[in-house]
């Protein structure tokens, strides 16, 4: 299954939390945990992508379906035109994987 971000957002900017939720909801429609079908998330013609967007879309998928399932079955594509996409994506993933450490750090820093 291939999902086009620009077709969902009707914009070349994937910036807002609500944008991320729109993409998340579209992916979720086609993502059946019992199925083995992979979902390609196509970023063709997207010019900007924020960390906020990635957290609201891919981060929420990670929270709902788990790291292993998302890694196996959900794949971003055609994102090379987006500055620092993979860096932002890797940061989002790392924040999810290390959320307990991050929360402990925040609790200590703001205590």
């Amino acid at each position: 299954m291939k999902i086009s971000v620009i077709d969902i957002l009707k914009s070349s900017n994937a910036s807002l939390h609500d944008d991320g939720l729109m993409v998340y909801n579209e992916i979720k429609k086609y993502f059946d945990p019992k199925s083995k079908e992979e979902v390609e998330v196509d970023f063709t013609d997207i010019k900007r992508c924020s960390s906020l967007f990635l957290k609201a879309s891919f981060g929420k998928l990670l929270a709902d379906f788990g790291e292993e399932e998302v890694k196996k079955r959900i794949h971003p594509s055609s994102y090379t035109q987006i500055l620092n996409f993979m860096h932002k994506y890797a940061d989002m993933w790392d924040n999810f994987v290390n959320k307990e450490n991050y929360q402990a750090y925040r609790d200590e820093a703001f205590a």
Side-chain angles (χ1 to χ4, degrees), residues 6-37:
I6 201 159
D7 288 348
I8 297 166
L9 300 181
K10 309 293 187 229
S11 169
S12 62
N13 295 316
S15 301
L16 304 174
H17 183 264
D18 286 348
D19 295 341
L21 291 177
M22 287 171 57
V23 171
Y24 162 82
N25 286 325
E26 193 65 25
I27 294 169
K28 193 173 174 189
K29 285 183 202 175
Y30 299 102
F31 188 79
D32 178 2
K34 296 174 185 154
S35 167
K36 300 295 181 202
E37 184 177 13

